[in-house]
Amino acid sequence: MNGRLIESLANTPALAALFSDESVLQAMLEFENALARAEARHGLIPMEAADAIGDAAVPGNFDISVLADATFRAGTPAIPLVKMLTDQVRKANAEAARFVHWGATSQDVADTAMSLLLKRAEPILIGDASRLEKALAHLSETHKDGVMLGRTLLQPAPPVTFGLKAAGWLGSVCRGKRRLQKAFRSAVVLQFGGASGTLASLDERGIAVAQALSAELGFGESPPTPWHTQRDQLATLICACGVLTGSLGKMARDISLLMQNEVGEAAEPGGEGRGGSSTMPNKSNPTACSLTLAAAHRAPGLVASFLSAMLQEHERGVGGWQAEWPIIAAVVQSTGVAIASMAEVAEGLSVDAQKMSRNIENTNGVILAERAMILLGAKLGRDVAHKLVTVAVRKSVKEGKHLAAVLADTPEVTTCLLYTSDAADDL
């Protein structure tokens, strides 16, 4: 982990490392190194200068605390980073120092560094999502005949199967994973436009350098135009994260409700240091579900903040893209902790079929009232049947009698069904 207690419930070790100061610095230096190599290959700067820049672009050469303080004053990490990198290059090769950051602009560094981080985040998220898909598919198949109470508006409803419930979770995860993969493919691209997006300082070689730079960084084709103030592709990724996190929150809500002692139909895995209480030894808390629900609470506001920051002016915006780094990191980390948490839950979820059966039995048959109404409605009409069954349900609840017994004592029912058709067997 990154050691920050304030973020300890909103992160995973892998994503904490990915968005750490050292990792962000490394990504920015990778851009500067790759830029120098691409420009050297196209004759814009000497190859010796590119080598000197690559040798100096090592995170250990930089004081992150100094860089962070300078970033606050400069309004972008690129300005102090380029100054510090230039100083490092000058120590070994004064002539090469002239070519640091040649033809690029601050936002090129920041956006491309974030693209590199997102490129590395994708396999982390997708890997955990694949684990979750596999576990949910297993749950759905294993419990396809596991009958349990349906619940609508938090009240008992006609029976469903736990397999169907798990299949519903699985469907939303599969759709969310596909959306996320598509969004990553669109959003994870090079940013390279220079001062106002024209690459004019590179003469006629700007496009060629952009293509070479994109390839150096492992992005593939360079975008046809810079996207300094066109944030739609990043926004689509952020929204895809938000939707998937919401789907996982729904799953976590269901499981945490099933874990309530008075329900007791399912439970997430425990283990040493997991799910206990500081004061109540009897408790087994839905820890992973709570982490997922917390992420699902955070995500909508973060998504909205990113969307509001899309209103960026002309060729380079003021305040919009500067808002994005912490938002993007928080959204991806929230999504990651939700996926990883629910993968752990699904892989170790215990399902109590006996408790599911007892909970159905404890309703005294009232959850089958709809079925009774349909059978009676065929003879009496829906309205009459609805009123008759409603009265029977109230009597069943009040007297603690099974609904079938109450209906059996109702003359209209016995006349209509019990003695005139085989439909009685369905009750």
Side-chain angles (χ1 to χ4, degrees):
M1 288 292 284
N2 60 358
R4 296 197 64 198
L5 285 173
I6 201 167
E7 295 176 358
S8 57
L9 298 181
N11 224 333
T12 67
L15 290 174
L18 179 61
F19 288 101
S20 67
D21 290 340
E22 293 77 10
S23 179
V24 174
L25 173 60
Q26 175 66 44
M28 291 191 292
L29 291 174
E30 284 179 39
F31 171 85
E32 295 293 349
N33 187 11
L35 173 63
R37 291 199 303 271
E39 291 177 333
R41 282 205 300 274
H42 286 279
L44 283 162
I45 70 173
M47 186 58 71
E48 294 79 6
D51 291 339
I53 292 170
D55 290 341
V58 177
N61 289 338
F62 297 81
D63 187 322
I64 290 177
S65 63
V66 172
L67 177 59
D69 289 343
T71 295
F72 184 77
R73 295 190 60 81
T76 171
I79 293 174
L81 176 77
V82 170
K83 183 179 183 301
M84 294 168 75
L85 177 59
T86 302
D87 291 342
Q88 289 293 327
V89 174
R90 186 177 291 113
K91 293 177 183 178
N93 187 330
E95 179 65 16
R98 298 194 301 116
F99 299 103
V100 172
H101 195 65
W102 191 264
T105 193
S106 300
Q107 195 172 345
D108 292 338
V109 183
D111 281 346
T112 301
M114 181 54 72
S115 284
L116 286 169
L117 297 176
L118 291 174
K119 185 173 184 287
R120 291 157 190 165
E122 180 179 6
I124 297 173
L125 299 188
I126 298 304
D128 283 338
S130 296
R131 285 175 50 212
L132 177 55
E133 282 181 328
K134 182 178 179 181
L136 288 176
H138 177 73
L139 282 173
S140 180
E141 177 63 25
T142 301
H143 298 283
K144 62 184 178 182
D145 298 320
V147 180
M148 65 183 297
L149 280 175
R151 294 176 172 91
T152 61
L153 303 183
L154 294 178
Q155 303 302 308
V160 297
T161 67
F162 187 76
L164 176 64
K165 187 180 288 289
W169 299 332
L170 174 60
S172 67
V173 170
C174 289
R175 293 188 296 272
K177 176 185 169 185
R178 287 196 299 270
R179 280 191 293 264
L180 199 59
Q181 288 175 305
K182 182 179 179 181
F184 267 116
R185 286 195 297 270
S186 297
V188 176
V189 293
L190 172 73
Q191 172 74 283
F192 188 52
S196 57
T198 65
L199 294 176
S201 62
L202 302 183
D203 300 322
E204 73 282 357
R205 287 168 285 185
I207 298 300
V209 170
Q211 294 293 352
L213 175 56
S214 188
E216 281 276 354
L217 293 170
F219 291 132
E221 283 290 313
S222 172
T225 60
W227 43 278
H228 289 132
T229 50
Q230 306 298 334
R231 316 305 280 181
D232 55 298
Q233 293 181 141
L234 262 180
T236 299
L237 174 59
I238 295 302
C239 289
C241 286
V243 171
L244 178 54
T245 304
S247 294
L248 296 169
K250 183 270 188 291
M251 176 183 168
R253 182 76 78 198
D254 284 350
I255 292 174
S256 60
L257 290 171
L258 293 175
M259 283 183 66
Q260 292 182 108
N261 186 64
E262 57 270 31
V263 178
E265 295 178 355
E268 67 173 55
E272 183 65 28
R274 187 76 163 177
S277 166
S278 62
T279 57
M280 293 172 279
N282 61 294
K283 291 191 72 179
S284 179
N285 293 315
T287 301
C289 288
S290 69
L291 294 179
T292 302
L293 288 165
H297 282 301
R298 287 192 301 274
L302 292 167
V303 172
S305 293
F306 190 93
L307 295 178
S308 70
M310 290 180 68
L311 310 181
Q312 300 187 18
E313 304 80 15
H314 302 305
E315 283 64 52
R316 298 279 300 286
V318 54
W321 73 269
Q322 293 90 345
E324 290 178 354
W325 265 21
I327 297 172
I328 295 170
V331 169
V332 173
Q333 288 169 329
S334 292
T335 305
V337 77
I339 300 174
S341 294
M342 296 321 293
E344 179 184 357
V345 169
E347 288 171 341
L349 190 72
S350 60
V351 179
D352 192 334
Q354 291 184 337
K355 189 63 182 290
M356 289 176 174
S357 296
R358 287 198 299 272
N359 286 341
I360 291 176
E361 293 167 4
N362 289 340
T363 68
N364 278 330
V366 298
I367 59 169
L368 301 176
E370 179 192 36
R371 178 62 176 162
M373 185 191 72
I374 294 298
L375 294 171
L376 289 169
K379 297 286 186 178
L380 303 176
R382 184 189 179 283
D383 289 349
V384 173
H386 188 277
K387 292 177 183 177
L388 190 154
V389 175
T390 298
V391 171
V393 167
R394 289 173 180 167
K395 185 174 182 181
S396 171
V397 173
K398 182 178 180 180
E399 298 180 3
K401 294 174 62 177
H402 199 281
L403 179 61
V406 175
L407 290 171
D409 291 337
T410 304
E412 295 90 339
V413 174
T414 56
T415 300
C416 180
L417 292 177
L418 298 181
Y419 299 117
T420 61
S421 75
D422 293 333
D425 295 336
D426 293 323
L427 292 175

